[in-house]
Structure formats: C-alpha cells, structure tokens
Amino acid sequence: MRLLTDNEIAQRRQRRQQPTFAAAWAALVDTADRALALRVTIPTEGAGWWHNYFCPDHAAQLIYDPEQPHAHRCPVDGHIFSGEPYDGAWRSRTQHVIVDGLYAAALAWLLGGDERYAHHATVILRTYAAHYPYYPVHGEHAGKGRCMGQSLDEAVWSIPLAWAYDVMRDTLAPDLRAQIERDLLRPVAEHLMTQLWQYIHNIQCWHLAGLATLGVVLDDARYVAPALAGDYGLPGQLREGVLDDGWWWEGSPNYHFYTLQAVTALALALRRQHSDVLAAPRLGAMLRAPLELARADRSLPATNDGWFDEAAPNALGSHAASYEAAWNLWHDPAHAAFLSRVYAAGTPRNTPEALLFGPADLPPAETPARPSVLHAASGYAMLRGGTGDRECALLLKYGPHGGGHGHPDKLALDLHACGQRLAPDLGTPGYGIPLNRVWYRHTLAHNTALLDATPQPPATGRLLRFSAANNALYAVADASVAWPDDAPAPYAGATMRRCILWRPGDTPYFLDIVQVRCAGDAPHQIDLAWHHQGALDVAGLTPATLPAANETYALLNNVQRIPGQSWHGVWRAENASTACWALDPPGSTAYATHAPYNPAAETMSLVLRRAEASTATFAALFAPFSDEPVVRQATWTDRSAGGTTALTVLVEGDGWRDAWVVGSAPRDPAHDPPAFADATVREHVLAQM
C-alpha cells in the first residue's frame, strides 16, 4: 500500500503553489538542492553514537561540517577533536543528513517534477542498497545498529528512507526496485526485528514506527505486526507509557516529543490499513499535555534528560511538525490554534509535514488564559501569575523518577518569569561527556535539597495539597518525598517536604518552605541549592572555602559566605530579576558561589544553604520583577516552640502590606505582632506529611 494516495499527491502538488505553503515548499527545495550540492559520499563504515559529539570540557555540541569527517571543532575554544568517538558521531549525523536530503529530493520531484531530484534520489537509494549488506552489526547504546550506531537511530533513519523509496518506486526499473527491496529495505526491517525491546520505552516506539513504515511500503504484514501487539506494541506503549495526565513516563519534555514523533510516524503509516489506532485516547492526551504546561513564551521546563533548548522562548515551535501531522490524523481545532500561535511568534512554517499534512487555513492567533495547572500523574505542579510577557511560572517537580532518563531531583523548583529562565532546570547536554554524570544528573545541579553531598536515590514524591482557586487569597503547592529504611545512606528513612505559598495576581511572589528530616538523631550535612541567572547582590559577603566533598562540589568556584541566619539578596539578570528574603536554620551557613550552566562554558549563580543537623527548616520569599521590585521589604520571625512551628513574615510593597503565618496549628490572632493590624493576613496550616 502506498503511503500517499494519488488524490493526496494531486492536492499536495496544488499546495506548493499556494502562498500558505510557500515557505514549506521553498524549504523543501532548499534541502533538496543542498543534498545535490553536498560533496560527501555515503560512509562505508557503521556510525557511532551522536551523544559523543560534544566537547568534554565545555558540554557544547561540536561544530558539524559534512565535509570534515575527521575534524570536529569546539565552538568555545576552537579545539579540534578527531578520531573516535567523534568520527563515529560525525558518521551518525552524516547518515541523517544524507537520508533527509534523499527524502526532500524525492518529495521535490514528486510535487515539482524536476528530474534532477529524481536522479539524486535514485542514486542514493542504489548506493545504500549496495552498501547496506556490508554494514556490520555493532553498537553499545540502545540496541545495535548496522548503518547507524544503535538500533534506535537505525529505526529513525529508516522512516524517511522508506518514504523516499515509496515516492520513487514507480519510476525505478524493475531490477533496481528489486535490488533496493532485497538488499536495503528488507535487511533493515529484518535487523530491526532482532532489536525489538520487550518493554515500554521511547526506543521501542521508534522500532515499531520504523518497522510499520517499512511493512506498509513492502506490503509485508510481518513487519507491521509488532506495532499492533498488545503488550509492547502501540496499545501497550500508550496504555503503560503515557500517564493519566498525557505525559510520557520518562519525565522529560524532550523524550515526550521524541516519543510523540515516533507514535505520529507510526499512525501516519497505519492510518488506512489500521485506522483503529487513531482512536486511542492517549494519543490526544500526548498532544494536549505540553500545551497545558507550556509557559507564556511557549517554552517548557527542561526536566530530566533532554535538551535545554526546550526551555528557550518559542521552543514549542520546534515541535510544530508533530501538530501539522496530527492535523491530518484528527483535525483537532486545538492543534490548528497552537500552530497559529507558534507561527505568529516567529516559527517559520517550513516543514515537510506542513506541506503534506497541515491545515490549509489557520485561525487567528490568540493568547489563551494561563491558569495554574496540576499534572498529578507526572508530579508537575505549575503555579502561574501575571499575564503575557510578564507571566511568572513556577514548577514544583515531585513525581516518578523517569527510569534511565530520570534525574535525582525530587521537590526541585524551576522559576520562569518575564520570558526569562531565571532559576531553571538545566536538562542535559550530550550523554557521552563526563559532566553529564558529574553535574547535570547530580542533585546539586537542581534547585532542591541533598544530604551529605550525595545524590538523592530514585524516588516518587507525594502531593500533599494543590489549590489554586481564582478567588483564593493564595495558592498552594505542597509535596513530600520519603525514602524507605533500606534506601542507600544517608537517605535511609529520610523525608523532605516543600511547601510553596503563592500570592496570585499581576505581581506574584511566593514563600518557599523546605523541611528535611533525617532518620535518627545523628547530624548530616543538609544542603539546599538555589541556582539563578544573573549577578547576586547581597550585603556583607566575605571570601570562604567550601570543601570539595567530591568531583561535583569541586565544580563550584568563587565561594563567598553570606552573613547571618536571615539575609536579603537580589539576582539581577538581563531583562528580569528576583529578590529574596531568606530565613535559614539556627547554626546554618549560606554560601554564594558559581556553578556550571548549560553549556558548561557559562556559569550561573548558586546559593548553597547548609545546615549540619538531623532536621532543618529553610524558608525564603522570592519576588521576581522586571523593572521595579514588587516587594520592598520582608521581615521574618520564627516563633517555633514546644513542637509547634510558627513562621511569620511581613511583606511590604508600594501601598500594600501582606502578613503570612505558617504553622503546624491554627493561628492565634492574639499573638499577632502589631504590624499585622493593617495588613492582609494569609494563614496556612502545614498538613501532616
């Protein structure tokens, strides 16, 4: 069965002449032209692992030059890397460049009729058919490949390959068509059949998508069958891998969209043979979840493994192709509305998916309301305030670990305000560099707490309360995590809890209360990290030494001590800043230092609040602002006594005063300070963990 019908081809030929699709057609032709001009031959040696194409010192992706297979330059200091694993990673990228050019040339010929593109596509298909039988089975990451360094990349590579052949097949001589199917497409499919993973994973989704696409093109039901299997085919992947809130279980926006790409490719291949797959409700949930959690600048927090680019302004625009393809499958107006927003914000509508599958007409771009949202299954509690460019969004992350792509960062925060990543989750760079393990996958790189300088063990937190009613005095996101008694030391029997109290409105601020309890009475080093963009301005800093407990702590530099149990500081970034009033436990020490950003060639401010104790409570008030500070002054009082916690803070702005009382028991107004008399009092009783 053909992937595109004759009627669809005729419609797409008309589209290329329509202004709506002019950019997509121009981009397709440009890719095809660059493929024709590319002075590189198909590698005869199997590829390596793309994640090795990063500078080990700066965590920056090396500069790829398709004509330099043995010279790979660091963009930070210009150092040239050569040999393995860099050459193998170059071959991986090159194979994708070649097959993408093949796909573009085939489509450009199909829709435009230029025989130069048909000739190029024919030559590449013939050459791959000549090379593929001699690629050895190899690789050590995520299954073994032949052309590629892993079965995952082999599956991703096979989909445009199959589409290109499907487009060109009727123009090929019978003997060449037989050769391509015998020596290329079927061997790829047979290899992928040996690499199927019998569990729920993004890699298995790509295996299924590659096999199903090849199966449809070759009209071979044996290659389609794994996708239809109940346990580890598409039904099982959606049932077990997509959580109730629509997010993919690995806890990363990057891997969510990566999996969505595979599932969409699979659905496109099977949309006529097995149209029932389109009725799976969790397919729609996968497309909806990112739009609900997205921030006003159309970005997402870069949680767990995955590229930090997910947190950049209009990053969702890079996933427009998935929603263009989804339109062909479901014709959901929400997808068209999303496409309008990202294109109006500057994302060019220039993907092949737009040309082939997207809506012919997009609605006017509108900015939807951005309420606070809870995605309970994934453990994402997002509090929002402000509107438009001045939106402030705070994520409390408490949910499942996320398997091999999870990070040890229970109860971490990600603060985004005024279109800026102020206190962000850093995600990860390439997995092949040492800094990935030492820093980006370490608890210290996240805005949360850790014990004795060791990463948190994997765990799943628990939501205690989430309330964000429009008419409430304040919103609440409160979660905890408890490690079992058999957890690795020092976390055995330990508990942590983080309660966020959020003042809503156009100028939000929030209280952050972190409680840590270790098992037993022995003291432990309790560190609470807060990473923030910009320079920190705090009075009374003095040079200090922070012992390098391990190679992660050794990455901290320019250490200074912050005086006092109660302190005030302001981080001043380019377009947004954050003021902080902190109250640390008695006997604790706070340090101002610098830590690696992403990429590691850049640094960011880190405040490390440290207590040597078996229990500790840290409190802080954070007030993001763009031009003038929202909060002028905040004064903390700790009235804990007799086992009853009672923190109070008086918050003052221009023409207003807020008083907060946070305790383990209801407040007694008779004990309120006199200053509370003319303030709006907000009282919160901490529920039991």
Side-chain angles (χ1 to χ4, degrees):
M1 180 178 287
R2 297 288 297 271
L3 293 169
L4 291 174
T5 66
D6 289 341
N7 185 51
E8 288 173 327
I9 293 170
Q11 290 178 344
R12 275 49 175 183
R13 285 174 176 164
Q14 293 177 352
R15 281 189 169 199
R16 73 177 181 85
Q17 298 175 326
Q18 298 170 0
T20 301
F21 299 103
W25 172 247
L28 183 72
V29 170
D30 179 67
T31 302
D33 286 341
R34 283 187 284 111
L36 268 61
L38 187 64
R39 294 182 299 178
V40 62
T41 58
I42 294 174
T44 57
E45 185 178 356
W49 195 36
W50 170 247
H51 283 283
N52 285 324
Y53 211 67
F54 287 77
C55 173
D57 299 317
H58 303 110
Q61 184 174 303
L62 301 178
I63 296 174
Y64 170 78
D65 184 338
E67 298 182 12
Q68 294 292 332
H70 307 295
H72 320 290
R73 183 163 59 89
C74 173
V76 178
D77 63 4
H79 181 78
I80 300 296
F81 294 87
S82 61
E84 298 299 341
Y86 308 104
D87 291 0
W90 178 93
R91 291 194 297 276
S92 175
R93 173 69 178 274
T94 298
Q95 293 286 22
H96 282 301
V97 167
I98 292 171
V99 82
D100 289 346
L102 162 66
Y103 176 57
L107 285 179
W109 168 80
L110 179 70
L111 303 184
D114 190 327
E115 291 298 328
R116 294 179 304 138
Y117 302 135
H119 175 74
H120 176 79
T122 301
V123 169
I124 295 298
L125 286 167
R126 181 190 294 117
T127 306
Y128 267 133
H131 285 349
Y132 196 83
Y134 302 100
Y135 285 128
V137 175
H138 68 287
E140 55 181 338
H141 302 285
K144 295 184 181 300
R146 291 184 63 178
C147 171
M148 307 300 286
Q150 52 179 347
S151 59
L152 166 61
D153 288 341
E154 198 97 357
V156 174
W157 170 84
S158 74
I159 294 173
L161 179 76
W163 273 83
Y165 172 73
D166 188 59
V167 166
M168 300 301 305
R169 119 167 75 192
D170 290 346
T171 71
L172 303 175
D175 58 338
L176 179 56
R177 189 162 61 238
Q179 179 192 1
I180 292 169
E181 293 188 7
R182 181 188 67 243
D183 294 342
L184 178 59
L185 301 185
R186 287 192 181 278
V188 173
E190 290 296 331
H191 177 72
L192 291 177
M193 290 288 282
T194 70
Q195 299 296 307
L196 288 170
W197 288 22
Q198 299 305 306
Y199 47 88
I200 307 300
H201 204 278
N202 72 80
I203 293 172
Q204 175 71 347
C205 291
W206 279 107
H207 289 157
L208 300 174
L211 276 168
T213 306
L214 288 162
V216 169
V217 169
L218 294 169
D219 197 21
D220 193 327
R222 191 166 65 92
Y223 302 140
V224 174
L228 305 177
D231 290 339
Y232 302 109
L234 182 63
Q237 298 295 327
L238 295 176
R239 183 180 62 250
E240 304 296 332
V242 181
L243 304 182
D244 289 343
D245 51 27
W247 284 103
W248 183 247
W249 71 275
E250 291 175 284
S252 161
N254 183 260
Y255 280 100
H256 178 89
F257 282 115
Y258 193 51
T259 305
L260 182 60
Q261 280 183 276
V263 171
T264 304
L266 176 56
L268 284 171
L270 300 182
R271 70 190 190 278
R272 289 195 302 277
Q273 272 190 336
H274 300 280
S275 60
D276 53 306
V277 303
L278 305 183
R282 295 203 173 187
L283 280 172
M286 287 187 78
L287 288 152
R288 184 174 59 251
L291 308 188
E292 293 177 346
L293 199 70
R295 298 174 298 213
D297 69 346
R298 298 156 302 281
S299 70
L300 288 163
T303 53
N304 284 6
D305 274 350
W307 309 125
F308 195 36
D309 290 348
E310 293 290 352
N314 211 34
L316 278 175
S318 66
H319 304 295
S322 293
Y323 290 84
E324 297 276 15
W327 173 261
N328 179 273
L329 300 172
W330 293 285
H331 290 86
D332 188 335
H335 301 158
F338 162 73
L339 292 170
S340 286
R341 292 196 296 274
V342 296
Y343 293 143
T347 297
R349 194 182 187 192
N350 62 357
T351 63
E353 289 81 3
L355 185 62
L356 294 178
F357 307 119
D361 298 300
L362 293 173
E366 297 180 353
T367 302
R370 314 293 307 163
S372 296
V373 62
L374 174 67
H375 285 175
S378 298
Y380 299 146
M382 176 78 85
L383 295 167
R384 291 191 177 101
T387 57
D389 294 341
R390 293 181 177 270
E391 182 196 66
C392 179
L394 180 74
L395 176 73
L396 171 61
K397 179 176 180 281
Y398 66 86
H401 181 66
H405 288 300
H407 283 198
D409 64 343
K410 287 297 151 286
L411 309 188
L413 297 182
D414 179 292
L415 175 62
H416 186 277
C418 304
Q420 300 292 309
R421 297 180 276 197
L422 294 183
D425 190 314
L426 297 178
T428 51
Y431 303 161
I433 61 173
L435 276 171
N436 193 50
R437 172 187 58 82
V438 174
W439 181 248
Y440 296 102
R441 285 179 174 172
H442 196 286
T443 304
L444 186 62
H446 301 79
N447 294 320
T448 189
L450 68 161
L451 304 178
D452 292 347
T454 61
Q456 298 175 2
T460 298
R462 181 167 65 98
L463 183 70
L464 302 177
R465 182 182 175 188
F466 182 83
S467 176
N470 290 335
N471 58 351
L473 276 175
Y474 61 95
V476 181
D478 190 357
S480 67
V481 59
W483 286 275
D485 292 340
D486 60 353
Y491 290 90
T495 61
M496 294 183 186
R497 189 238 193 101
R498 192 162 212 161
C499 179
I500 304 297
L501 304 177
W502 179 270
R503 181 194 190 246
D506 290 337
T507 55
Y509 66 81
F510 62 95
L511 276 61
D512 176 29
I513 301 167
V514 180
Q515 296 177 325
V516 181
R517 292 188 175 91
C518 305
D521 297 326
H524 291 271
Q525 178 181 294
I526 302 172
D527 284 345
L528 177 63
W530 179 255
H531 303 260
H532 201 288
Q533 285 277 56
L536 173 61
D537 180 8
V538 61
L541 291 177
T542 56
T545 299
L546 193 62
N550 50 45
E551 54 188 341
T552 298
Y553 278 74
L555 295 171
L556 308 185
N557 60 77
N558 192 24
V559 180
Q560 296 176 290
R561 181 168 179 168
I562 300 174
Q565 179 187 354
S566 178
W567 53 271
H568 167 55
V570 179
W571 287 270
R572 302 188 186 279
E574 183 177 354
N575 296 312
S577 302
T578 301
C580 171
W581 286 263
L583 179 66
D584 292 338
S588 63
T589 306
Y591 298 96
T593 180
H594 287 86
Y597 188 56
N598 190 355
E602 302 175 30
T603 62
M604 66 187 306
S605 168
L606 165 62
V607 166
L608 196 65
R609 303 159 70 187
R610 172 173 292 178
E612 299 281 350
S614 59
T615 64
T617 297
F618 301 86
L621 183 147
F622 292 99
F625 63 94
S626 55
D627 301 319
E628 295 295 326
V630 175
V631 177
R632 298 296 184 181
Q633 179 63 41
T635 307
W636 285 96
T637 305
D638 184 352
R639 291 169 22 196
S640 301
T644 299
T645 301
L647 293 172
T648 66
V649 60
L650 182 65
V651 187
E652 301 175 79
D654 290 337
W656 56 269
R657 290 155 65 90
D658 288 343
W660 295 80
V661 181
V662 184
S664 56
R667 147 181 169 254
D668 181 358
H671 291 93
D672 285 349
F676 281 25
D678 60 348
T680 300
V681 180
R682 293 174 167 89
E683 177 186 359
H684 182 74
V685 178
L686 288 171
Q688 294 296 314
M689 283 197 289

